[in-house]
Amino acid sequence: AERFATKFSYLTQSTIPSGELIASVESGNLSSFEQIRAELRGRIEAGQADELLREFPQAWLQLDRINFMSPDPDAYPLYDKKRINEDMIEEIVALFSYAVTENRPVPELLVSDYSFVNADLAKVYGIEDVPSDSILRKYTFKDGRRGGFIGSGAFLTLTADTLTTSPIHRAVYVMENFMGIHPSPPPSDVDISEPDIRSAKTIREVLVAHRSDPSCAGCHQTIDPFGYAFENFDPMGAWRENYSNPDSKAKSSRASNDQNSGIPIDASATFLSGDQYKDIKEFRELLKKPASRDRFVRCFITKLLTYANGVEPDNYSAIDTILKRSAEHDYKIIETMAAVIDSPLFREQ
């Protein structure tokens, strides 16, 4: 009983359990899904789960890495001068906290049409009807391009390089952190020859040249479609219609406003399943289909268990049992979290 109380307390508050919680567990008051749901909801409403609301999304999305390859300050002065990376992290925390306190469905985290922005983020996202202060407020996007984790500056910056974007980096991140798919690394015994990319002008053309190597083509057919959708977002997450020359951009003080020169961006792709999209809007719609929705919820469950236990669970049938209970409650986030805590994967680890 004390062990379960300790795990529950550390999950929600990152501290040792109170005597009251231990006594409650010992008396059997947290032995069912319904009891755990009630306790969890009470803690959230009382502010006793704030540590979970703040720390878990940062751990899940690896937000400590946001400045590992941060946008070049000469090319993207907004990022450097405004310390906008902190706003981007706070956007994710606000989005997650809202989803939990309002008990929204888990899939909304990924592809909602809203997020939380302030004046500085609004400049990056190209929106104007936002108060000119630093307070993060809920904002509904009307263009179908943004909203949720998948449209956040944190995700888009974290997965880009200093001056360029990488469909592969973004694809692998989406697969691992949103879809729960772990793509295989290149085989160590394969001699990967460098393709002739001298005539390549776009990232897509470079990747097509790379895929001309048979030893690379198989994996890239699976991976690449998860990344091309984001090519309209530059290294700090601002929208662009064309690729511009990184060298000239670095000398420009206009940041990402140089949209009228360069090569038009092609953000379309086809999955091996036959599903295809022509842009980020259609890709987001694909993520709402039942198979992708369940992949994301299963990934959420796995990431929460990893956060709670310190190791990634490998009992897929037990995870599917949690997923089924989540589905029975319309994937509501509190019910899904309660199902995780009630699971043997939490109770007995």
Side-chain angles (χ1 to χ4, degrees):
E2 187 171 339
R3 188 169 174 279
F4 177 75
T6 299
K7 285 196 68 178
F8 194 108
S9 184
Y10 268 98
L11 175 65
T12 54
Q13 293 180 284
S14 301
T15 190
I16 59 173
S18 64
E20 182 183 0
L21 179 62
I22 295 172
S24 185
V25 174
E26 287 177 341
S27 60
N29 290 338
L30 288 175
S31 58
S32 71
F33 165 78
E34 288 77 15
Q35 290 169 324
I36 288 172
R37 176 175 59 181
E39 175 72 19
L40 185 60
R41 182 173 282 131
R43 285 177 166 249
I44 291 164
E45 291 172 354
Q48 295 177 338
D50 288 355
E51 278 289 306
L52 172 64
L53 302 193
R54 167 160 287 277
E55 298 302 324
F56 170 58
Q58 294 191 65
W60 173 10
L61 302 190
Q62 304 164 45
L63 299 188
D64 60 321
R65 290 173 41 214
I66 195 167
N67 280 330
F68 179 65
M69 291 280 282
S70 58
D72 182 276
D74 291 328
Y76 305 97
L78 251 185
Y79 187 88
D80 188 58
K81 289 179 181 175
K82 298 289 187 179
R83 302 304 303 164
I84 209 156
N85 60 305
E86 295 170 12
D87 289 333
M88 290 176 174
I89 292 171
E90 290 303 318
E91 176 188 0
I92 295 293
V93 172
L95 189 59
F96 185 76
S97 296
Y98 173 83
V100 174
T101 54
E102 298 296 322
N103 201 15
R104 304 302 304 163
V106 175
E108 228 175 74
L109 286 171
L110 186 64
V111 288
S112 66
D113 63 356
Y114 63 84
S115 190
F116 289 78
V117 302
N118 59 19
D120 290 337
L121 286 172
K123 290 176 187 174
V124 178
Y125 296 164
I127 54 180
E128 296 177 350
D129 51 336
V130 171
S132 56
D133 58 37
S134 60
I135 299 170
L136 289 165
R137 295 178 178 86
K138 188 183 178 194
Y139 183 89
T140 300
F141 299 94
K142 301 174 182 66
D143 58 11
R145 297 170 178 172
R146 292 196 192 269
F149 289 165
I150 211 84
S152 68
F155 154 64
L156 295 164
T157 299
L158 180 63
T159 52
D161 297 328
T162 56
L163 281 169
T164 59
T165 54
S166 168
I168 300 301
H169 290 171
R170 286 174 171 170
V172 170
Y173 184 97
V174 168
M175 294 171 80
E176 292 183 339
N177 295 290
F178 298 147
M179 297 288 105
I181 303 168
H182 297 284
S184 302
S188 58
D189 60 342
V190 172
D191 179 23
I192 302 176
S193 57
E194 285 297 315
D196 183 358
I197 61 171
R198 285 170 295 181
S199 62
K201 297 177 182 177
T202 68
I203 295 171
R204 182 182 291 268
E205 288 171 330
V206 171
L207 287 175
V208 167
H210 177 65
R211 285 172 59 171
S212 65
D213 187 323
S215 61
C216 305
C219 284
H220 280 281
Q221 286 176 330
T222 301
I223 296 170
D224 295 1
F226 282 103
Y228 279 131
F230 305 103
E231 279 301 276
N232 282 113
F233 298 106
D234 74 12
M236 71 177 292
W239 185 262
R240 61 186 180 183
E241 296 288 347
N242 303 292
Y243 292 112
S244 59
N245 185 327
D247 294 329
S248 65
K249 192 166 196 172
K251 298 170 187 173
S252 168
S253 62
R254 289 182 295 165
S256 55
N257 295 326
D258 185 19
Q259 300 293 358
N260 298 318
S261 61
I263 301 157
I265 289 167
D266 178 3
S268 66
T270 302
F271 287 94
L272 286 175
S273 65
D275 283 339
Q276 55 187 295
Y277 60 84
K278 72 174 189 293
D279 55 24
I280 185 64
K281 296 180 189 178
E282 292 189 358
F283 179 74
R284 289 171 66 94
E285 291 305 310
L286 289 179
L287 291 178
K288 296 175 185 178
K289 293 176 70 169
S292 294
R293 174 201 64 205
D294 284 2
R295 273 194 179 280
F296 178 67
V297 178
R298 187 182 287 109
C299 186
F300 169 79
I301 291 165
T302 302
K303 296 292 183 182
L304 185 59
L305 282 165
T306 304
Y307 178 77
N309 295 332
V311 293
E312 186 171 332
D314 56 7
N315 186 330
Y316 299 110
S317 63
I319 291 172
D320 280 341
T321 299
I322 300 171
L323 177 63
K324 184 177 179 183
R325 178 165 268 171
S326 173
E328 289 168 356
H329 291 89
D330 300 319
Y331 303 99
K332 292 292 181 65
I333 196 164
I334 290 178
E335 278 75 7
T336 305
M337 293 167 77
V340 167
I341 295 167
D342 187 44
S343 167
L345 292 178
F346 182 90
R347 288 186 179 276
E348 298 172 11
Q349 282 288 325

